[in-house]
Amino acid sequence: MSELLKFILAHEEQFRRQRLPSLYSDFRPLRATNPDGYTANVSAWQAALTRAARAGVAQRSTTANDLLVLDAGPALLDALETSEWGRPQALGAVFGEATARGEMVPLTRFLASGESVLGKPSVVLAPLRLFVWSLRQLGIAGESGVDGKLVGGKLVVMANVEAASKNVLARISGLGSSTVDRIFSKEGFTSTFSSCISNNTTPPSKTDIDVLLKYLARDKKQIAYDGEARLLFSTIKFPTLTSPSLSITQHDTSIASLNLLITSLTSQTAALNTRITALTNHARSAITQHNRSSALAALRAKTLAEATLTQRSATLVQLESVAAQISQAADQVQVLRVLRASTGVLQGLNRQASALNVEETVAELREEMEAVKEMGGVLNEVGREGVDEASIEEELRLLEEQEGNVAVGKMPSVPTREVGVSKTELQSRPEKNKETQAEAVLDAAVEKLALVN
């Protein structure tokens, strides 16, 4: 069983055992007799092959597998063959339907077209004629109609291309807004965004990169790309809000070359550090084994590697310094552009303010505000006429006196004898007793007056 078939049977729910007889049969007649069943089988095959392609298991290759492109040839039928059900009999119809809907596009047409291919069949035909025409373009159908044969031809899987482009745009948004951070060579783009194309660690092929760049530049208009000019050095530029131009200048190409050189030197220094560590360990091992000649050879190689590392590191520091200065200059240019635009806005607003006669407007506003104050004063005087202020003051005084008398009546009574002294002792002191009796009489009179009030 091929890796492709193992992947499909393990990850696709539609390819459970009870469904395999229908999926591997020639279900093309169902187009007329059972359209729902026909559509279900076509959708199941298309979804399975789409995910298998992105996983890198749709084809066997000694180099990198295509992740965005599917090879619809006899080799695909061989990979899908089973001992029980044989080869799928209606795979040609699956690719024909996908091509007719624009969900799969022949690779040659995709790369050669100057216009977007999103949802656009190459010609306007009736649905049945378009279906047959698409299969003939792939070599799947002969002149007499659909015969189900696959005669090669690579198809761009648009669902995988769209998913990869979304991942790339999400990644670039997190790399910074500086123009320098958004310019790449083709090699730099590949190393930076390879993981955006695949769901796993499978590296994309050169064809995948070409397809993705074409899609981002032509269909999405998210990058500027000069690779179609067949130059020795290709430049990819992501526009920014302050620099939205989709054209590539010589400055952009120089920045891309500088970034590529920095990336190359960084990888070289890392490799040299690894080599120096390995040579050091080898020399130590040779000394332990009393192999003097091997130890000397390792130390000589280590010395050369260290000298090379020193040179590469010095060059890398210089290039990084230049890149930092370029980035700073590019940021300053963006700031100046924003300031210039802001100046224009302020000038326009000031002209509008001058046309509105500011002094006259302010004077009129002050007059209206004074009128509002006068009107408020008049309204506040309404209702004050006919009110006797003296009678109101007299009524307020009487209320305050009544409240004071109530408060006095509620006060606690004063004790008439000393605390802790008995009545017998008080009677033995006649003078004090008389004073106490007088105070008691006075207190009783006060209480009576309070009750009367």
Side-chain angles (χ1 to χ4, degrees):
M1 185 181 294
S2 67
E3 185 179 4
L4 170 60
L5 189 56
K6 290 180 182 178
F7 177 88
I8 291 177
L9 295 178
H11 295 87
E12 297 299 324
E13 183 180 356
Q14 292 296 324
F15 279 76
R16 54 188 182 274
R17 183 170 181 79
Q18 57 268 35
R19 286 273 289 136
L20 292 179
S22 176
L23 291 168
Y24 270 78
S25 66
D26 186 1
F27 54 79
R28 287 173 293 172
L30 296 179
R31 182 182 179 90
T33 60
N34 184 6
D36 292 339
Y38 175 83
T39 301
N41 287 347
V42 169
S43 299
W45 273 113
Q46 185 176 342
L49 294 174
T50 296
R51 283 188 279 266
R54 194 175 185 197
V57 298
Q59 59 186 4
R60 291 173 292 180
S61 176
T62 55
T63 58
N65 291 335
D66 293 331
L67 307 179
L68 307 181
V69 178
L70 186 64
D71 191 354
L76 182 62
L77 291 176
D78 294 339
L80 294 172
E81 185 175 3
T82 66
S83 58
E84 185 174 0
W85 307 108
R87 296 183 175 187
Q89 300 298 311
L91 205 55
V94 173
F95 291 125
E97 292 282 1
T99 305
R101 293 193 297 262
E103 296 170 354
M104 292 185 181
V105 181
L107 177 61
T108 53
R109 183 164 72 87
F110 183 92
L111 295 177
S113 177
E115 299 180 353
S116 175
V117 298
L118 289 175
K120 292 182 179 179
S122 57
V123 291
V124 179
L125 298 173
L128 182 58
R129 292 181 58 200
L130 177 58
F131 174 68
V132 177
W133 178 88
S134 301
L135 299 187
R136 288 175 180 172
Q137 297 303 310
L138 294 172
I140 300 172
E143 292 297 323
S144 58
V146 179
D147 54 19
K149 295 181 180 179
L150 298 178
V151 195
K154 291 191 173 184
L155 300 174
V156 177
V157 184
M158 297 304 298
N160 291 351
V161 178
E162 176 64 20
S165 69
K166 288 182 179 179
N167 292 339
V168 168
L169 296 177
R171 175 76 61 83
I172 194 62
S173 64
L175 293 181
S177 58
S178 175
T179 303
V180 177
D181 297 331
R182 290 172 167 259
I183 298 177
F184 302 88
S185 63
K186 191 173 183 179
E187 292 80 0
F189 179 89
T190 302
S191 62
T192 304
F193 299 104
S194 290
S195 60
C196 297
I197 300 177
S198 173
N199 287 330
N200 48 40
T201 57
T202 305
S205 65
K206 180 179 179 299
T207 303
D208 291 330
I209 298 298
D210 291 337
V211 167
L212 181 58
L213 290 174
K214 184 76 173 181
Y215 184 74
L216 288 171
R218 180 194 61 201
D219 300 272
K220 289 296 186 178
K221 293 181 172 46
Q222 294 292 331
I223 65 170
Y225 175 50
D226 60 2
E228 298 179 2
R230 301 188 182 279
L231 302 174
L232 296 176
F233 186 85
S234 299
T235 304
I236 297 100
K237 176 183 176 181
F238 288 85
T240 61
L241 293 176
T242 55
S243 180
S245 174
L246 286 176
S247 61
I248 294 178
T249 64
Q250 184 60 42
H251 291 161
D252 298 331
T253 302
S254 299
I255 293 173
S257 178
L258 177 62
N259 289 338
L260 178 61
L261 187 54
I262 290 174
T263 302
S264 176
L265 286 175
T266 302
S267 61
Q268 289 180 30
T269 54
L272 285 170
N273 281 319
T274 302
R275 177 171 172 75
I276 290 171
T277 302
L279 289 172
T280 301
N281 294 333
H282 180 71
R284 290 175 179 173
S285 178
I287 292 173
T288 303
Q289 298 175 4
H290 304 287
N291 189 343
R292 189 170 183 275
S293 59
S294 179
L296 288 174
L299 291 175
R300 291 191 187 97
K302 174 190 173 185
T303 302
L304 292 174
E306 288 175 341
T308 303
L309 177 61
T310 301
Q311 295 175 355
R312 295 286 190 276
S313 299
T315 304
L316 180 59
V317 170
Q318 293 178 354
L319 293 178
E320 288 178 340
S321 176
V322 173
Q325 294 176 3
I326 292 175
S327 179
Q328 182 179 1
D331 292 340
Q332 290 174 351
V333 170
Q334 294 180 5
V335 171
L336 289 174
R337 287 175 178 172
V338 172
L339 291 177
R340 176 174 293 182
S342 301
T343 302
V345 173
L346 289 175
Q347 289 175 349
L349 293 176
N350 288 332
R351 283 194 295 267
Q352 294 179 15
S354 299
L356 295 174
N357 197 344
V358 178
E359 295 181 356
E360 182 179 348
T361 302
V362 173
E364 292 177 356
L365 177 62
R366 288 175 178 172
E367 291 179 0
E368 296 300 326
M369 292 176 65
E370 290 296 330
V372 171
K373 289 182 179 179
E374 293 178 1
M375 186 179 298
V378 173
L379 292 175
N380 290 333
E381 293 296 329
V382 174
R384 293 186 178 181
E385 297 83 354
V387 177
D388 189 355
E389 295 291 338
S391 62
I392 292 176
E393 291 290 338
E394 179 64 20
E395 185 177 357
L396 177 62
R397 186 183 63 78
L398 293 174
L399 289 174
E400 289 176 346
E401 290 180 354
Q402 291 178 2
E403 290 294 328
N405 293 333
V406 172
V408 171
K410 291 182 180 180
M411 293 177 62
S413 60
V414 180
T416 57
R417 60 186 178 87
E418 297 181 19
V419 179
V421 180
S422 63
K423 187 175 182 180
T424 305
E425 292 178 350
L426 289 175
Q427 293 176 353
S428 63
R429 293 182 289 183
E431 294 180 358
K432 292 184 178 180
N433 197 19
K434 292 179 180 179
E435 293 176 357
T436 302
Q437 291 176 356
E439 290 176 358
V441 171
L442 179 61
D443 291 339
V446 171
E447 290 177 358
K448 289 180 179 180
L449 289 175
L451 293 174
V452 171
N453 291 331

